[in-house]
Amino acid sequence: KQLRSEKKSRKFWFIAILCLIIVLPAGWYLWSRLEKEKPTLNMNLLSPHLGQSQVFSLVVSDAKSGLRRLWVGLLKNGQEAVLHDEKFPSAGFFKGGKVHETSVKIQLAPEVLGFSDGDAILRTVISDYSWRGWWKGNITYTEKNVKIDTRPPEIEVLSRAHNISQGGAGLVIFRASETCSKSGVQVGDHFYPGHAGFFKDSNVYLAFIALGYQQGTDTAISLKVTDLAGNEATGGLNYHLRKKSFRQDRLNIRDSFLKQKMPYFSSQIPQDSTLSLVDKFLKVNRDLREANYQTIADVCHDTDAKIHWQDDFLRLPKSATRAKFADHRVYIYKGREIDRQVHMGVDLASVARSPIPAANTGIVIFAEFLGIYGKTVILDHGFGLFSMYAHLSNIGVKVGDQLSKGDILGRTGLTGLAGGDHLHFSVLIHDTFVNPVEWWDMKWIQHNVLSKIEQAGSEIKRE
């Protein structure tokens, strides 16, 4: 009896272990094929506003069971259009799907599909090869509200005459019929963005513009706007461009000046012991000047959406003009011409280390050494208007400081390429240097800026 009992016990354990060996893997496999993890979706739709045509991408994945099907459609008022319908291959009943991740680009042109403008739904359905749902798989179902907008915005010019001199500035005020992602004025090959926020109507834009000193009177000027759906519109405006002549100035470069100044730029230009002082000067006057301008352009890329300044801009007190805006300089060394550059500001000289007042209310956005300009401060006066103060002996402000008109920001000096103590003062419209003389003139400001704002405001109130 004991022997039979031991045999039965061994048989029981053998069967039990055999069942474990078979049943557990089978159960584990069955459980894995019944996994409940849904496919994932990553949609790259730049805007919920759909224009005449756009391309968007989808990345879909299912790490466990593999992808079975991807369906994408556009729906509006009961109308449906299939944008994409793809079935993915199976690796076998017991293995799931062959594809676990894929990306798809979809071209969407609502008008071509017969859809009118208005609210619509972008729907996606993704399934996998899980055995859940009686072998229908896990399903990811998403809907995204979109708005079809295939019509370009309309533009209304609110400012009237736009008289601009070469090297000068101007203001254009206009209204778009809808919210725009991009708006502004194209002046030749240069675009000046419009800024909303001055008036309560958020679709009214102010754009300070400039006609570069090198742009002629045949330069084309037009309005350009792009709405949230990417529809673009171009509009015309009345303008008159005045030709202006700029003087030519000859600067004699002496060895004493080169010996004094070139050591200061040793860390900013490539070091080459074979270069003469003149060659080093040319690298500074050309290459470093260009790099410095790019820094200024980058600094002035963003602007506060508020007008901080009022009335005319201050000039350095009791100062004499030593160089004018857009002077075409010819550099002479030992009787021969070695370089030509354009002076992008006005040089003002008073007594040495004269205190420099902020020309108008603004925010300090730059306050450090800047190559040929030496110690430099740049103020943002809002809506793309900037003032720049260069060759300072010391800087008394820091980035982020809010200065009132007349606040002292530093003292004049001869840092950078300055040959004597003075202030190099510049005004910029975004990244374009303009003639500061205009901004010192209250009559010019009243006629070209303030009166336009008053007139536009009156028209808006009457509506």
Side-chain angles (χ1 to χ4, degrees):
K1 287 183 179 180
Q2 185 177 357
L3 183 61
R4 285 198 302 271
S5 176
E6 289 177 355
K7 286 183 178 180
K8 287 181 179 181
S9 177
R10 286 196 296 271
K11 186 176 181 181
F12 169 79
W13 284 110
F14 175 77
I15 295 172
I17 292 170
L18 186 63
C19 288
L20 288 173
I21 293 173
I22 296 174
V23 173
L24 282 179
W28 174 84
Y29 178 76
L30 181 62
W31 178 255
S32 68
R33 296 301 294 115
L34 288 168
E35 58 88 14
K36 58 182 180 180
E37 187 173 302
K38 293 183 178 182
T40 62
L41 165 68
N42 184 11
M43 180 184 295
N44 182 22
L45 183 64
L46 295 179
S47 171
H49 299 265
L50 305 181
Q52 295 180 0
S53 180
Q54 49 269 300
V55 176
F56 67 97
S57 61
L58 299 174
V59 177
V60 292
S61 63
D62 190 275
K64 293 185 176 179
S65 296
L67 296 166
R68 181 191 294 266
R69 185 179 182 184
L70 168 63
W71 184 93
V72 184
L74 184 66
L75 299 91
K76 180 178 182 291
N77 298 332
Q79 180 184 358
E80 176 184 285
V82 178
L83 305 178
H84 189 84
D85 189 2
E86 182 176 3
K87 294 179 181 179
F88 300 98
S90 169
F93 183 76
F94 295 102
K95 293 182 179 180
K98 286 185 177 180
V99 179
H100 289 272
E101 180 174 302
T102 189
S103 60
V104 177
K105 286 188 176 180
I106 298 175
Q107 178 83 35
L108 176 54
E111 278 189 319
V112 175
L113 297 172
F115 285 89
S116 59
D117 287 5
D119 295 331
I121 295 173
L122 188 61
R123 180 181 293 168
T124 58
V125 183
I126 314 167
S127 60
D128 65 12
Y129 274 96
S130 170
W131 287 356
R132 282 188 172 269
W134 298 100
W135 293 279
K136 293 181 181 179
N138 299 302
I139 297 175
T140 297
Y141 182 95
T142 62
E143 287 189 348
K144 187 176 183 66
N145 293 323
V146 294
K147 185 172 183 177
I148 300 172
D149 177 10
T150 59
R151 291 174 295 181
E154 297 177 359
I155 311 171
E156 177 188 6
V157 183
L158 300 178
S159 52
R160 294 175 183 170
H162 306 92
N163 301 312
I164 309 172
S165 299
Q166 281 181 284
L171 174 65
V172 180
I173 305 175
F174 60 95
R175 175 165 46 199
S177 59
E178 58 183 296
T179 301
C180 291
S181 60
K182 182 179 180 181
S183 67
V185 182
Q186 189 76 37
V187 182
D189 59 356
H190 211 94
F191 182 78
Y192 296 92
H195 301 278
F198 186 87
F199 296 104
K200 289 183 179 180
D201 187 342
S202 60
N203 291 335
V204 175
Y205 300 88
L206 273 68
F208 284 102
I209 65 173
L211 182 66
Y213 75 91
Q214 77 281 18
Q215 291 181 298
T217 54
D218 59 346
T219 302
I221 300 180
S222 61
L223 289 162
K224 289 193 174 182
V225 297
T226 304
D227 67 16
L228 298 177
N231 301 304
E232 298 180 352
T234 301
L237 69 159
N238 293 323
Y239 63 90
H240 174 69
L241 306 182
R242 301 190 190 99
K243 183 175 178 59
K244 188 173 177 62
S245 298
F246 301 100
R247 70 176 187 176
Q248 192 171 89
D249 190 17
R250 292 170 65 88
L251 273 68
N252 288 305
I253 305 301
R254 295 181 172 86
D255 287 331
S256 57
F257 173 79
L258 297 177
K259 291 176 181 177
Q260 177 192 359
K261 287 293 179 179
M262 289 307 99
Y264 288 105
F265 299 100
S266 59
S267 63
Q268 301 175 63
I269 59 175
Q271 293 303 295
D272 186 343
S273 59
T274 63
L275 288 179
S276 66
L277 285 175
V278 172
D279 290 334
K280 290 181 179 180
F281 169 78
L282 292 177
K283 283 192 170 295
V284 171
N285 208 37
R286 295 172 181 171
D287 301 344
L288 187 57
R289 182 186 296 272
E290 185 176 345
N292 294 158
Y293 167 73
Q294 189 57 54
T295 298
I296 295 169
D298 292 342
V299 169
C300 297
H301 181 269
D302 297 320
T303 183
D304 203 7
K306 180 181 179 181
I307 291 182
H308 295 289
W309 60 275
Q310 287 185 341
D311 301 328
D312 55 336
F313 281 53
L314 293 179
R315 176 187 167 104
L316 181 69
K318 300 178 181 179
S319 61
T321 301
R322 296 305 185 198
K324 295 183 178 181
F325 174 77
D327 280 354
H328 286 52
R329 288 180 164 177
V330 180
Y331 296 83
I332 306 296
Y333 178 71
K334 293 184 178 180
R336 64 184 181 90
E337 179 183 323
I338 59 171
D339 201 11
R340 287 177 178 254
Q341 297 293 338
V342 179
H343 184 246
M344 304 311 295
V346 175
D347 286 350
L348 302 171
S350 182
V351 298
R353 296 179 60 84
S354 293
I356 303 171
N360 221 312
T361 302
I363 300 172
V364 179
I365 59 171
F366 187 88
E368 59 185 85
F369 195 91
L370 182 61
I372 67 168
Y373 297 103
K375 293 181 179 180
T376 302
V377 173
I378 300 177
L379 301 185
D380 177 12
H381 301 288
F383 282 13
L385 177 62
F386 304 88
S387 61
M388 174 176 152
Y389 313 76
H391 302 315
L392 278 58
S393 58
N394 80 289
I395 296 173
V397 294
K398 63 182 183 303
V399 172
D401 285 351
Q402 297 190 24
L403 304 185
S404 296
K405 184 176 181 179
D407 286 350
I408 302 303
L409 55 82
R411 291 182 176 272
T412 63
L414 44 74
T415 56
L417 268 184
D421 187 295
H422 72 279
L423 168 66
H424 174 96
F425 179 72
S426 296
V427 174
L428 297 99
I429 303 296
H430 289 281
D431 57 358
T432 302
F433 288 100
V434 295
N435 196 342
V437 172
E438 293 180 341
W439 297 90
W440 289 331
D441 184 351
M442 189 61 209
K443 289 184 179 179
W444 181 90
I445 291 174
Q446 179 62 41
H447 182 71
N448 292 278
V449 179
L450 300 182
S451 63
K452 289 184 178 181
I453 293 176
E454 292 168 4
Q455 175 239 324
S458 297
E459 289 190 8
I460 292 171
K461 285 181 181 179
R462 287 197 299 266
E463 295 174 349

